[in-house]
Amino acid sequence: MDYLTGLRVFSAVVRHRGFASAARVLGLSRSSVSKHVDQLERRLGTRLVHRDPHRVSCTAAGLEFFAEIEPALELLDRAERRASGASSRPEGTLKLGAPDEFAAVHIAPHLDELRQRYPDLVLDIRRSECGRAIAEDGLDLAIWVAGALPPLAMVARQLASARQVLCASPEYVSRRGAPGDPSELRTHAIIEYTAVRPRAQVSREVTPATPHGKATLRTDSLEVAKSAVLSGAGICELPVFAVCADLRSRRLVTLLDAWQRPARGIFAVYPDRRYLPATGRALIDFLSEKLAAGGDGAECLGRLDMQPSLDRSTKGSNGMSAHADLASSLETATCAMSAATDT
């Protein structure tokens, strides 16, 4: 059997979590899908998937192999589309899910240019946060801002990075004070934006203790988290693109700049690579271009007279790295709410 076809079939088995579902998507019989994977395993000399009557799962080698071949398959598909001219004239309605703030900052200002480039493309933008079920929401494509790749059942293309910032309102800082180092976050009210820091990560990496403070709110809505911070309810880590205007207008201030965590990824996510409409491919390429020109939000933080900061330190405590120190303290400060919810 053809090696490239075998790679595509294996990719479909992983993304759709089984032989039967992959067969339906590819229009093949289940036995044909199984044969393709069997031959691929013989060629590689290693087992790629575990098979049992109830489910199919990847071996460690299979997961590693899948991660390596997915970008190559995406490049091949793109080259094929360009050569055939399939993506030369996107037309029709594209149902796009995205956080409100992302759409307002990175899509709405460029709509006129998008219309001039693709006059027959119509955007139907709906509010959507990281982790939402795309197919169930009736979306063709979604934009996720996350620290980790979306589930394997989806296809994800990273468009850019989103810098994160720890921030609070001046009223909150006036009332509660500004933390001088990450350990002091335990005495503050924490607003946990879960699309940035999934709850599973907190409960897995931090042993619940009895911190001096606790999270006052947990939400996967960027709009809700930002509104809570602006109201003075607490401290929150948010993408710079969501709060850039508020930093410039001094409605928010940044905290602990020396400890800021690494940037998160901005991903275009869709159910299946082979069935993404031409409108979706066109928008992905357009956003990649605009995000590359706009950077990760550092330009907002670089405006010295516009961005107030209340950072008082330049070194992590107890010899810890800056990123690790802030990550540990933020996650510890939110443990109390996690423990209270689980009991």
Side-chain angles (χ1 to χ4, degrees):
M1 294 182 179
D2 177 56
Y3 179 56
L4 180 57
T5 300
L7 295 179
R8 294 188 188 280
V9 169
F10 169 68
S11 172
V13 169
V14 176
R15 286 185 286 104
H16 297 284
R17 301 175 185 268
F19 290 99
S21 53
R24 285 193 296 271
V25 170
L26 297 174
L28 300 174
S29 67
R30 190 185 187 286
S31 62
S32 178
V33 168
S34 181
K35 288 178 182 178
H36 277 290
V37 175
D38 287 342
Q39 181 166 350
L40 187 59
E41 289 177 329
R42 286 196 297 271
R43 177 185 178 117
L44 298 173
T46 188
R47 178 72 67 184
L48 298 175
V49 296
H50 296 297
R51 300 165 174 84
D52 65 48
H54 303 291
R55 68 186 183 94
V56 174
S57 61
C58 274
T59 63
L63 286 174
E64 184 177 356
F65 186 63
F66 173 79
E68 293 288 343
I69 66 171
E70 273 294 281
L73 290 175
E74 175 66 30
L75 288 174
L76 286 172
D77 286 347
R78 196 182 312 167
E80 184 178 339
R81 291 193 299 267
R82 288 175 177 171
S84 66
S87 60
S88 60
R89 190 175 177 81
E91 57 184 1
T93 299
L94 177 72
K95 295 178 181 178
L96 173 71
D100 283 347
E101 294 290 345
F102 180 90
V105 173
H106 290 300
I107 299 178
H110 305 298
L111 283 177
D112 187 58
E113 182 180 348
L114 182 68
R115 181 190 60 79
Q116 293 181 41
R117 189 178 301 186
Y118 305 113
D120 298 319
L121 188 158
V122 178
L123 275 184
D124 179 355
I125 302 178
R126 307 180 184 188
R127 179 187 303 171
S128 179
E129 301 289 345
C130 179
R132 291 290 302 247
I134 295 176
E136 286 81 349
D137 286 348
L139 302 175
D140 299 309
L141 175 70
I143 302 298
W144 287 0
V145 181
L149 284 174
L152 290 177
M154 301 290 179
V155 179
R157 174 179 167 187
Q158 185 166 352
L159 306 179
S161 296
R163 185 170 175 177
Q164 307 298 304
V165 64
L166 198 68
C167 58
S169 70
E171 292 77 16
Y172 175 88
V173 174
S174 176
R175 185 173 72 252
R176 298 285 298 272
D181 62 63
S183 66
E184 294 183 15
L185 287 170
R186 299 184 184 189
T187 66
H188 284 269
I190 303 298
I191 297 165
E192 187 182 2
Y193 175 43
T194 56
V196 169
R197 186 181 299 102
R199 179 180 175 186
Q201 180 183 350
V202 175
S203 61
R204 182 174 63 249
E205 294 186 2
V206 179
T207 301
T210 306
H212 300 294
K214 69 176 184 178
T216 58
L217 172 69
R218 177 186 293 120
T219 178
D220 64 357
S221 168
L222 180 57
E223 184 179 19
V224 171
K226 177 180 171 181
S227 178
V229 176
L230 286 168
S231 74
I235 296 173
C236 187
E237 181 186 8
L238 292 169
V240 170
F241 69 74
V243 294
C244 192
D246 300 291
L247 294 173
R248 293 174 182 174
S249 65
R250 301 181 187 271
R251 296 178 68 201
L252 292 177
V253 295
T254 62
L255 306 169
L256 301 178
D257 290 345
W259 279 272
Q260 290 308 307
R261 298 178 73 180
R264 304 282 161 166
I266 300 176
F267 297 97
V269 186
Y270 43 100
D272 193 284
R273 182 179 60 250
R274 294 175 65 85
Y275 297 102
L276 179 69
T279 51
R281 301 185 204 110
L283 183 66
I284 287 174
D285 292 341
F286 182 81
L287 288 178
S288 295
E289 174 187 322
K290 294 304 172 186
L291 289 168
D296 67 354
E299 75 285 352
C300 174
L301 301 183
R303 300 174 187 270
L304 298 180
D305 295 330
M306 295 182 177
Q307 195 283 37
S309 173
L310 294 178
D311 182 27
R312 302 203 302 262
S313 308
T314 58
K315 294 175 65 178
S317 62
N318 300 323
M320 296 176 67
S321 70
H323 292 329
D325 208 0
L326 177 60
S328 175
S329 296
L330 272 173
E331 289 162 356
T332 300
T334 60
C335 275
M337 188 174 186
S338 297
T341 301
D342 292 338
T343 57

